[in-house]
């Protein structure tokens, strides 16, 4: 049997429910590689409703981790945007080429070419 493992609330709840459904303590301990005394503790906590509070705390912790990851991503993207804005402003513009909003061939100067 392994020492100092941590188990999720869902796993503890599942094992406790299996025991209460009629599984033997010995069979559960062997199948999940967990001490029987630990299963007894989980069943007591499950019956006392302690896993319900832990589930909410566990879910909150998952949400907070997700929010932190998203905030890091937004910060990274904001830095990239600022860098690109600075690069566009400092990029040299060619003096010989006129820039226009309209894209296409240049306008004709004479009426003969236009018709």
């Amino acid at each position: 049997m392994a020492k100092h493992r941590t188990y999720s609330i869902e796993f503890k709840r599942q094992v406790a429910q299996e025991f209460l459904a009629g599984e033997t303590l010995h069979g559960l301990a062997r199948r999940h590689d967990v001490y029987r005394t630990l299963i007894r503790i989980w069943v007591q906590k499950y019956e006392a409703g302690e896993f319900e509070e832990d589930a909410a705390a566990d879910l909150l912790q998952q949400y907070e981790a997700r929010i932190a990851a998203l905030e890091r991503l937004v910060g990274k993207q904001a830095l990239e945007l600022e860098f690109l804005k600075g690069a566009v402003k400092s990029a040299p513009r060619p003096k010989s080429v006129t820039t226009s909003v309209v894209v296409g061939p240049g306008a004709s100067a004479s009426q003969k070419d236009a018709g």
Side-chain angles (χ1 to χ4, degrees), residues 5-60:
R5 285 192 289 181
T6 57
Y7 300 96
S8 69
I9 299 300
E10 292 82 22
F11 178 75
K12 294 175 185 180
R13 188 180 306 124
Q14 173 194 348
V15 173
Q17 288 171 347
E18 288 176 8
F19 176 76
L20 293 173
E23 288 271 347
T24 64
L25 196 58
H26 183 71
L28 282 172
R30 177 175 280 198
R31 184 163 32 115
H32 295 294
D33 193 29
V34 177
Y35 288 110
R36 289 178 288 185
T37 55
L38 189 56
I39 294 174
R40 285 188 194 108
I41 293 170
W42 292 348
V43 170
Q44 289 172 352
K45 287 185 176 185
Y46 178 78
E47 288 175 336
E50 291 182 32
F51 288 154
E52 307 312 320
E53 297 167 9
D54 288 341
D58 199 26
L59 187 61
L60 181 62

Side-chain angles (χ1 to χ4, degrees), residues 94-107:
K95 304 241 182 222
S96 62
V97 178
T98 58
T99 58
S100 173
V101 177
V102 180
V103 177

